Structure formats: C-alpha cells, structure tokens
C-alpha cells in the first residue's frame, strides 16, 4: 500500500509533469525553462531535478510509460501468435489499458497535444527518433525471445519491428495533419495501415 510520503512524491511528480506539458504545448518547448515548470507547481528547481533529469526527460515521460506498457503487452501475447500478429494484437487489444496508463498521469487530450508539439519542434522530433530506436530494439529482443532466435544473427525480429514502427510513424504523421485530433483516429488509422502492409510490400500498385 502506498505510504503518505510516497503519495506526496507521486503527486509532486505528476504536477510537474502536467505543468511541463501544458507549458510545452502552449508556449513551445524551447521557450520553456525548468524554472518556469518548477514555479508553476510552486517548488524549487532542485525539486524538479529530483524527479526529472531535464526538459527532455519530462517531455517524454508519458510516452515512455505508454511504450513500456506496449512492450509488456507484446511480451504477454500468446506464444503461438506469429510476430506481426502479436504486435498488432498487442496494440489493438491493449488500447484501453494504454489509455488508462496515460490517463492515470495526465489527461489524454494533453498527451495528444504533446504528440503534435513533438512533431513540430525539431529538438523534440530528433529526440523522439532516438528514443524510438531504443524502444524498437527492446521490441525486437522480445520477439526474438518469443520465437527462440538470436536477434543478432537473425534479422527477422528487427525487420518485423521496423515494418510495424513504420506503420506507426505513418499513422502519427497522418493523424498530426488531420483536423480530427481524437485518439480513436490513431487506432482506426493504425488498423487500416496494418491491413495494407502485405499488399504495399508485395503487391502491384498500378491500376492500369
């Protein structure tokens, strides 16, 4: 059971996180300082650094949680599922749980606004790609373990994750340029694009 001290620490961390994302999404990542984030919660800069290593750390804290939950969902898929199906089903069937993971920390609407901010801010976008590479490596190792192959000798785990990751990035880009900012559009687009992977990679696109 969570102690009073643990509860206070969690609330302080979540308050800093929400304040940071609000500032990043309203006035911009580069224009926001650590002091402003700390001031918004009425704590010291020193207190901020007890919870986060810096602005990048707080900017990606919620995404890190969601991605860690997704890696766990892939690991928990039934062992008979083929790798691409395990990735697909983990995403689709854990959608509500992923939402709950985010909602437990910040409003989903704020999390989605932060997605758009990351796409628009060069420093954040570069950091996003770097962090995605680490997540994709973790997923590849989970698939390799599930299939009983050596991830460093067999390219298939990394290839499968690269295809899935490509679909997710296309989905995010399409969603970010859409007038519909709802989270459900992400799920709809992901499902549609995953259904097209086979024909996109091996089919003939020409209609004449």
């Amino acid at each position: 059971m969570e102690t009073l001290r643990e509860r206070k620490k969690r609330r302080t961390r979540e308050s800093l996180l929400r304040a940071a994302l609000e500032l990043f999404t309203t006035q911009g990542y580069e224009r926001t300082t650590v002091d402003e984030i700390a001031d918004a919660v009425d704590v010291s800069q020193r207190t901020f650094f007890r919870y986060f290593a810096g602005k990048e750390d707080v900017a990606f804290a919620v995404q890190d949680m969601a991605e860690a939950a997704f890696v766990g969902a892939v690991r928990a898929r039934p062992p008979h599922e083929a790798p691409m199906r395990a990735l697909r089903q983990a995403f689709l069937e854990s959608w509500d749980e992923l939402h709950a993971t985010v909602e437990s920390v910040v409003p989903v609407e704020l999390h989605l606004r932060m997605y758009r901010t990351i796409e628009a801010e060069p420093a954040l976008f570069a950091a996003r790609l770097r962090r995605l590479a680490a997540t994709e490596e973790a997923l590849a190792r989970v698939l390799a373990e599930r299939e009983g192959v050596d991830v460093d000798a067999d390219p298939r785990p990394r290839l499968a994750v690269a295809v899935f990751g490509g679909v997710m990035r296309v989905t995010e880009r399409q969603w970010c340029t859409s007038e519909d900012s709802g989270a459900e559009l992400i799920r709809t687009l992901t499902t549609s694009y995953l259904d097209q992977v086979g024909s996109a990679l091996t089919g003939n696109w020409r209609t004449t």
Side-chain angles (χ1 to χ4, degrees), residues 99-121:
H99 263 227
T101 298
V102 171
E103 192 72 49
S104 69
V105 181
V106 300
V108 170
E109 179 272 336
L110 176 57
H111 175 56
L112 295 179
R113 275 196 284 134
M114 191 62 201
Y115 251 116
R116 293 177 184 267
T117 299
I118 289 170
E119 288 285 325
E121 295 265 6

Side-chain angles (χ1 to χ4, degrees), residues 2 13 37 69 91 103 122 163 192:
E2 192 176 44
R13 185 181 188 278
I37 298 169
F91 174 80
E103 192 72 49
V163 170
S192 173

Side-chain angles (χ1 to χ4, degrees), residues 27 34 60 71-72 75 109 112 126 129 143 165 172 180 186 199 207:
Q27 68 182 31
V34 168
F60 288 97
V71 172
R75 183 178 286 111
E109 179 272 336
L112 295 179
L129 294 179
L143 292 185
E172 290 172 4
D180 182 353
I186 297 176
S199 60
T207 56

Side-chain angles (χ1 to χ4, degrees), residues 45-81:
Q45 185 187 88
R46 182 178 178 181
T47 298
F48 173 90
F49 284 115
R50 286 180 189 151
Y51 294 93
F52 301 101
K55 288 201 307 179
E56 181 182 311
D57 190 29
V58 70
F60 288 97
V62 180
Q63 289 194 19
D64 288 347
M65 286 177 56
E67 288 171 5
F70 176 65
V71 172
V74 174
R75 183 178 286 111
R77 294 304 303 169
H80 67 270
E81 285 185 346

Side-chain angles (χ1 to χ4, degrees), residues 178-206:
S178 171
E179 293 182 0
D180 182 353
S181 60
E184 191 58 33
L185 180 61
I186 297 176
R187 189 182 194 280
T188 300
L189 289 174
T190 300
T191 303
S192 173
Y193 295 161
L194 285 172
D195 288 342
Q196 298 178 56
V197 166
S199 60
L201 295 180
T202 63
N204 187 340
W205 299 356
R206 297 177 184 175

